[in-house]
Amino acid sequence: MMVFLEELMAFLGRFHPILVHLPIGILLIAFVMAFLERFTKENPYLPAIRLSLLLGSMAAVFAALSGFLLSRNGGYEIDVLNYHQWLGIAVAVCSLLLYFLYRKKSAALQWSKKIVWFRFWLFLILVILLGVTGHYGGTLTHGKGYFLEAMPQAMKKTFGVEESSDELLIVENVQEAAVYDGIIQPILKQRCQSCHGDRKQEGGLALQTKENLLKGGENGKVLKGNNSKESELYARLILPEGHKKRMPPKGRTPISVDQIKLIAWWIDQGASFDKRVSQLTQTKEIAAILKKLETGEQEASQVLYADFPKAPDLPKDKVDAWQAKGIKIIPVAKENNLVLVNAINYPQFNDKDLQELLTIKENIVQLKLGHTAITDQAFSTIKSMPAISRLHLEHTKVSDGGLSQLKSLQKLTYLNLVGTKVTAKGLANLKDIPNLKNVYIYQTDDRDSMALKALHGKVRIDTGNYRLPFIATDTIRF
């Protein structure tokens, strides 16, 4: 019987995400009517306010109860959970009190008449509580910084919100460093623990300690010593860009190729938690990557773009205007004034918007236009941006029409055409791009083998349709 009750409470707790939105909507409508009531003498909204408060307070109570049941499953940062929980209880209590204050007064409740004047201000407090409670709820679900990281640049400057930045991993005397504590754990902390750490554990998986890493998540263990291909920790990192199971997920800072190789190497060498680097077998490639850790070259954009000529200073007024629209202008090599332009938060971005970026055409080394409204006309603009090395055009309306114009991009190494109307005819034009190394074309209209042969040996063509090894703990076969 006790087992059944435990299972039932866990089941009822899963209704919290559904129930939690009901009191928010109902109580906000009631507040709007209470506000309008202050400007009328006949109080036409009073019956509706009473009904809304009755329904809203009941919904708040059920939301609080289901939230408590859900919290019993664990996997949440304790401090944030406590704030969210007690604020949710405060919302339920305030809404119940307001319902009684807005009821018709009987002789037995004469005391409530003395504080009726206060009820609107209590209502205002309730709305504030709803907002703060929702903020902590969002933090529990999406992690700290979820709201601030998407804030427009102009607002960040106004309110003094600092941009988060990744610390460069530098290891002195790398061969004597502890592999896990000195290299692997810092990588996991930097790239994975925003979703799988102290404050948040998606899928029940936490990666901040050895014990949690070995324990795994809701679907079982994520490490299999001496076999990176059957370790889910590694398998999720090598899924193609855009795959819903890829880690880190879309919108997060991606993990670098070198970091993925180091994780695979560590797992294949037994996933040791106490050995030093020198105690593990190293290929020439791994030794070279480890050597970079001593100088910080592994992630330094200044090194990646060292051979790029210095670009002109960025026009601050224009950059601020673009940032206000949601077009991210992110420095990647400050010494050279080189930037990454990302329109992910501005899906209306079109060919005209792209033309405006010609003002900084010599500064742009990475251009992310995926999921925007650009068309083939964009190619005539992009060809005039000589410094571009990485170009994202996934899930746009581009087709074969202008691919041939990209041959002028001497520094282009990466091209993403996933989910476009590009065909074999257009792909054949890519052989004329001198430094192109990686092209992603899965989910396109045509992946004709002739086009692949034309590029064979020169460019790595990623056509998707991966078949990852099936792990015993998997619930889905990819």
Side-chain angles (χ1 to χ4, degrees), residues 183-463:
I183 298 175
I184 302 303
Q185 179 53 221
I187 293 174
L188 297 178
K189 180 179 180 181
Q190 188 181 73
R191 299 293 185 230
C192 307
Q193 288 184 27
S194 60
C195 294
H196 303 286
D198 287 326
R199 66 190 187 189
K200 182 182 178 187
Q201 295 93 40
E202 286 192 0
L205 176 63
L207 301 175
Q208 79 275 30
T209 66
K210 166 188 173 181
E211 292 73 21
N212 287 329
L213 186 54
L214 291 173
K215 178 183 177 183
E218 293 176 354
N219 295 324
K221 295 184 177 181
V222 296
L223 275 181
K224 185 172 182 179
N226 300 306
N227 196 332
S228 60
K229 293 182 179 180
E230 292 190 13
S231 296
E232 193 168 357
L233 176 66
Y234 172 73
R236 293 295 182 92
L237 299 176
I238 61 172
L239 288 170
E241 290 192 41
H243 196 292
K244 65 181 181 180
K245 295 293 184 180
R246 179 185 169 97
M247 295 295 159
K250 183 178 179 181
R252 300 284 183 178
T253 303
I255 189 169
S256 73
V257 173
D258 282 355
Q259 289 173 335
I260 294 175
K261 289 179 179 178
L262 287 174
I263 291 173
W265 166 69
W266 172 66
I267 296 173
D268 287 334
Q269 291 295 313
S272 171
F273 289 90
D274 52 16
K275 289 185 177 180
R276 296 192 305 274
V277 171
S278 60
Q279 294 177 292
L280 302 184
T281 303
Q282 303 164 31
T283 63
K284 290 183 178 180
E285 181 182 37
I286 291 298
I289 294 174
L290 290 168
K291 185 64 178 177
K292 291 179 184 179
L293 294 178
E294 292 185 335
T295 61
E297 292 183 9
Q298 77 283 356
E299 295 292 344
S301 297
Q302 284 82 356
V303 174
L304 293 176
Y305 299 111
D307 62 335
F308 281 52
K310 185 174 182 178
D313 291 338
L314 294 166
K316 186 176 183 304
D317 56 339
K318 290 185 177 294
V319 170
D320 289 343
W322 289 323
Q323 301 271 33
K325 279 185 177 181
I327 303 171
K328 300 287 187 180
I329 310 294
I330 304 171
V332 295
K334 293 182 180 179
E335 293 181 359
N336 291 0
N337 293 327
L338 303 178
V339 299
L340 177 158
V341 176
N342 190 346
I344 188 174
N345 292 326
Y346 186 50
Q348 304 94 330
F349 188 96
N350 55 36
D351 300 326
K352 184 178 180 181
D353 293 314
L354 183 61
Q355 289 177 357
E356 294 179 2
L357 290 176
L358 287 175
T359 308
I360 58 170
K361 63 181 181 181
E362 296 177 30
N363 302 82
I364 302 174
V365 290
Q366 297 185 39
L367 186 58
K368 294 189 175 184
L369 305 179
H371 298 274
T372 62
I374 63 167
T375 66
D376 283 339
Q377 294 181 19
F379 289 114
S380 61
T381 304
I382 294 172
K383 73 177 183 180
S384 301
M385 298 177 174
I388 288 182
S389 63
R390 294 175 66 88
L391 179 58
H392 290 253
L393 302 173
E394 65 270 19
H395 300 290
T396 59
K397 295 180 180 179
V398 301
S399 61
D400 298 337
L403 277 180
S404 61
Q405 299 184 60
L406 297 182
K407 67 178 68 175
S408 63
L409 301 181
Q410 300 293 305
K411 296 183 180 297
L412 185 66
T413 61
Y414 170 102
L415 179 61
N416 193 328
L417 298 170
V418 173
T420 63
K421 296 184 180 299
V422 169
T423 67
K425 181 179 178 181
L427 290 173
N429 292 311
L430 300 180
K431 67 179 184 297
D432 296 322
I433 303 176
N435 291 305
L436 189 62
K437 296 178 181 178
N438 295 284
V439 178
Y440 293 82
I441 62 171
Y442 51 95
Q443 298 176 5
T444 57
D445 279 4
D446 188 355
R447 291 175 290 184
D448 190 276
S449 60
M450 293 296 292
L452 304 185
K453 289 179 180 178
L455 293 166
H456 181 67
K458 179 180 184 299
V459 180
R460 176 178 174 269
I461 302 293
D462 193 322
T463 60

Side-chain angles (χ1 to χ4, degrees), residues 23-59:
I24 296 174
I26 296 172
L27 293 174
L28 285 178
I29 291 174
F31 175 74
V32 172
M33 291 188 291
F35 177 78
L36 295 175
E37 179 197 33
R38 295 175 61 82
F39 301 97
T40 61
K41 294 182 179 180
E42 298 179 358
N43 294 343
Y45 302 105
L46 196 55
I49 293 173
R50 290 169 179 161
L51 178 60
S52 297
L53 283 171
L54 174 62
L55 297 176
S57 59
M58 292 174 60

Side-chain angles (χ1 to χ4, degrees), residues 139-160:
T139 301
L140 281 175
T141 305
H142 301 286
K144 290 180 179 177
Y146 175 69
F147 293 100
L148 295 180
E149 68 184 13
M151 182 183 289
Q153 291 297 318
M155 291 180 65
K156 286 182 178 179
K157 292 180 180 179
T158 301
F159 295 104

Side-chain angles (χ1 to χ4, degrees), residues 64-78:
L65 288 173
S66 61
F68 171 73
L69 295 177
L70 182 62
S71 69
R72 288 162 52 89
N73 295 332
Y76 301 99
E77 185 179 356
I78 298 300

